[in-house]
Amino acid sequence: MRAQSSAIDPTGIAVSTGSGPTAVVPSRDPAPGDRRAGTVQAALGVTAFSLTFPATAWGLQGFGPWSLVTVRCVLAALVAGGCLLALRIPRPARRHLAGLVVVAAGVVLGFPLLTTLALRTSTTAHAAVVVGLLPLTTALFSALRTGARPSRTFWLAACAGAAAVIAFTVQQSGGALTGADAYLFGALLICAAGYTEGGRLARVMPGWQVIGWALVLCLPLSVPGALLALSYEPVRLTAHSVTGLLWVAVGSQFAGLVVWYRGMASIGIPKASQLQLAQPLLTLVWSVLLLGERLTPAAPLTAAAVLVCIALTQRARG
């Protein structure tokens, strides 16, 4: 096994490049340019994630839920594994394996599976309730796991933004709870844990390697799972189903998480998480354009309120 060396990531933190001990440079407050770059990267991740539910709805037109989830994991792992092999990236240090397992369980397998099962009977508007609560939940997990202590202004703005999104999405779905809600709230908890652990790991290794190794770790489960699911669930290849599958595999599962984890490492997990307040609203826009769903006149008012909350969380100290 190759000895591990360290390099300084653009965020100013020591990056692991092997499997031996690494001298970690103490974290510092990012420079204004780094903060802007990190915010842009996290925002790109949010944009990619906002297409996940509509793309999943398209994928379900031709694949069963278990087939869609397992095949997307295999395709994403092949892309990630190819990049890791091409660049000859050494295996991650043993001390990082537990964190990668949490990322794999929460982001690679758990969240996609539970939300896909929910979307069999739920609209994308109703499923957006999960994403509306995810920023606040991720900030809470981050405070517990990493010791982050955002300011009171941050928490007030985060709670106000979450309340605005929840009120809008519940109103959009008619205020009714469905059988899919158990899946959605379970997905919320495990995804927040995966985001938090991934953001923490992205401070000691490049973000694309975090999700890349998490995807590779899932191959012993995703490959036999895909073969089994495809043997039981009928497949109907259409333009929509194939496009949906490719997007959730490459766009959401890999590329989106690469820029997302890098953004979290740069600006911090709590602040990056609050950018996701815009995700349900973006998802609803895509649901109108791609799925033909209808929005209420409350959408622009909610969008304005959410943008104000996002601005406050990004300017809050701590």
Side-chain angles (χ1 to χ4, degrees):
M1 184 177 296
R2 292 172 56 184
Q4 183 168 6
S5 60
S6 65
I8 302 300
D9 184 86
T11 61
I13 299 163
V15 174
S16 169
T17 57
S19 57
T22 299
V24 179
V25 177
S27 61
R28 59 170 174 82
D29 291 333
D34 294 335
R35 286 197 298 268
R36 285 192 293 269
T39 300
V40 169
Q41 289 169 334
L44 288 174
V46 169
T47 303
F49 301 154
S50 70
L51 280 160
T52 300
F53 285 171
T56 299
W58 273 8
L60 287 172
Q61 294 177 14
F63 295 90
W66 293 92
S67 298
L68 183 62
V69 171
T70 53
V71 172
R72 74 181 272 185
C73 289
V74 172
L75 292 178
L78 291 177
V79 174
C83 293
L84 292 169
L85 285 174
L87 296 175
R88 298 182 179 180
I89 304 298
R91 286 176 292 177
R94 182 175 298 178
R95 66 183 180 278
H96 298 323
L97 290 179
L100 289 171
V101 169
V102 174
V103 175
V107 177
V108 176
L109 292 176
F111 186 79
L113 176 60
L114 292 175
T115 54
T116 299
L117 291 173
L119 285 170
R120 292 180 304 167
T121 56
S122 173
T123 65
T124 57
H126 189 79
V129 172
V130 173
V131 181
L133 288 171
L134 188 54
L136 182 59
T137 308
T138 302
L140 290 171
F141 268 74
S142 174
L144 295 173
R145 179 67 177 91
T146 68
R149 294 294 181 267
S151 66
R152 182 178 300 178
T153 299
F154 174 92
W155 287 115
L156 290 174
C159 290
V165 171
I166 293 169
F168 174 59
T169 49
V170 169
Q171 182 272 336
Q172 183 73 18
S173 63
L177 296 178
T178 69
D181 289 320
Y183 291 130
L184 295 174
F185 285 112
L188 164 71
L189 294 176
I190 62 174
C191 187
Y195 278 172
T196 299
E197 200 64 24
R200 187 187 67 82
L201 288 173
R203 297 181 67 85
V204 294
M205 68 172 69
W208 76 271
Q209 292 183 27
V210 174
I211 186 58
W213 286 117
L215 286 163
V216 170
L217 283 175
C218 289
L219 279 174
L221 292 175
S222 59
V223 170
L227 294 174
L228 183 63
L230 290 172
S231 67
Y232 280 94
E233 294 179 337
V235 174
R236 186 168 61 91
L237 299 180
T238 65
H240 277 181
S241 63
V242 172
T243 301
L245 171 62
L246 291 177
W247 178 260
V248 295
V250 180
S252 301
Q253 192 83 78
F254 183 63
L257 285 168
V258 167
V259 292
W260 173 243
Y261 282 141
R262 191 165 181 81
M264 283 200 294
S266 180
I267 65 176
I269 298 171
K271 286 192 174 183
S273 69
Q274 298 314 298
L275 292 174
Q276 282 197 303
L277 287 171
Q279 186 173 326
L281 302 177
L282 288 173
T283 296
L284 293 172
V285 170
W286 299 129
S287 71
V288 171
L289 298 177
L290 301 177
L291 303 176
E293 296 183 6
R294 299 182 62 183
L295 297 182
T296 66
L301 295 177
T302 306
V306 165
L307 290 176
V308 171
C309 293
I310 290 175
L312 290 174
T313 61
Q314 298 309 297
R315 293 178 64 87
R317 298 181 63 182

